[in-house]
Amino acid sequence: MTQVSPQNPRSQGAQPPAAGGAYGSFTQEQVEALFINAAREGEADLLSSFLDAGMNPDLQVEKGYTPLILASYNGHIEAVSVLLMRGASPDLQDEKGATALAGVAFKGFLPIARMLLQAGAQVDLPNAVGRTPLMFAVMFGRDDMARLLLKAGASPTHRDGEGLNALDLAQRQGNAALLALFKEHEAGQA
């Protein structure tokens, strides 16, 4: 009998193990690991099969990760689309309070950020230390992401646990383009 590794969902064949219990020699934990790995690897068709078999699109595993957080963070547009269309919540947080939107703000994946925002992701949902997706975009020099988040209603004045806001972070980095963007945004709000 061939062993199936949770690290390689393709090795099990075209159909996922049935959700909701053991399938053959698969335990529920193994099924969940295969499902999560399909999200991490961006296997949209396999994700669909798992969801058809009854897997919860909001399953949370180690460190609080969800399929949507993993697919988003790894830049898998098609997998993100499948998960959102199948009811995945865009605002679930991992154990550090990070959301899928925070992850893509950090990475700079604009198309996925747009998808998450269109699906109703809260633009200013802070993590455990009070940092918002906009703050991550600023901290990692993702100017286009910062622009998108501002247009979606992100607040540049939200303060984190250290008392800093996105404007402070842009000033610390000497990011003149973002500082100008924030001034432009502020003028538009007046």
Side-chain angles (χ1 to χ4, degrees):
M1 182 163 127
T2 303
Q3 285 291 336
V4 176
S5 166
Q7 299 303 316
N8 186 359
R10 290 274 186 218
S11 66
Q12 91 214 22
Q15 294 298 318
Y23 175 79
S25 62
F26 290 100
T27 66
Q28 184 64 27
E29 291 77 25
Q30 289 171 321
V31 172
E32 290 174 359
L34 289 166
F35 178 55
I36 289 296
N37 194 60
R40 183 180 287 116
E41 297 298 321
E43 300 287 344
D45 291 341
L46 190 55
L47 282 173
S48 289
S49 294
F50 274 111
L51 293 165
D52 289 344
M55 289 299 293
N56 177 359
D58 288 333
L59 175 71
Q60 287 191 280
V61 293
E62 79 281 347
K63 299 182 183 180
Y65 297 145
T66 67
L68 184 61
I69 288 172
L70 293 169
S72 297
Y73 183 81
N74 288 295
H76 300 303
I77 293 172
E78 197 174 333
V80 169
S81 178
V82 164
L83 289 162
L84 289 171
M85 287 189 303
R86 300 294 291 273
S89 172
D91 288 330
L92 288 181
Q93 296 174 287
D94 68 18
E95 67 184 24
K96 293 184 178 182
T99 62
L101 185 58
V104 298
F106 158 71
K107 298 282 267 216
F109 297 142
L110 290 169
I112 294 176
R114 286 185 191 99
M115 291 170 68
L116 293 167
L117 290 166
Q118 288 172 353
Q122 293 181 49
V123 72
D124 277 333
L125 190 60
N127 69 6
V129 295
R131 293 203 176 109
T132 64
L134 178 60
M135 292 173 157
F136 283 112
V138 172
M139 290 168 59
F140 293 95
R142 311 291 187 203
D143 295 9
D144 288 340
M145 180 66 70
R147 187 172 290 106
L148 173 69
L149 294 171
L150 282 172
K151 285 181 183 175
S155 171
T157 59
H158 173 87
R159 296 203 177 272
D160 67 11
E162 296 176 1
L164 300 172
N165 62 32
L167 180 60
D168 297 330
L169 295 169
Q171 286 174 331
R172 277 187 171 182
Q173 294 175 340
N175 189 329
L178 276 182
L179 290 170
L181 178 64
F182 289 148
K183 284 184 182 181
E184 182 181 308
H185 177 75
E186 187 178 287
Q189 298 294 320

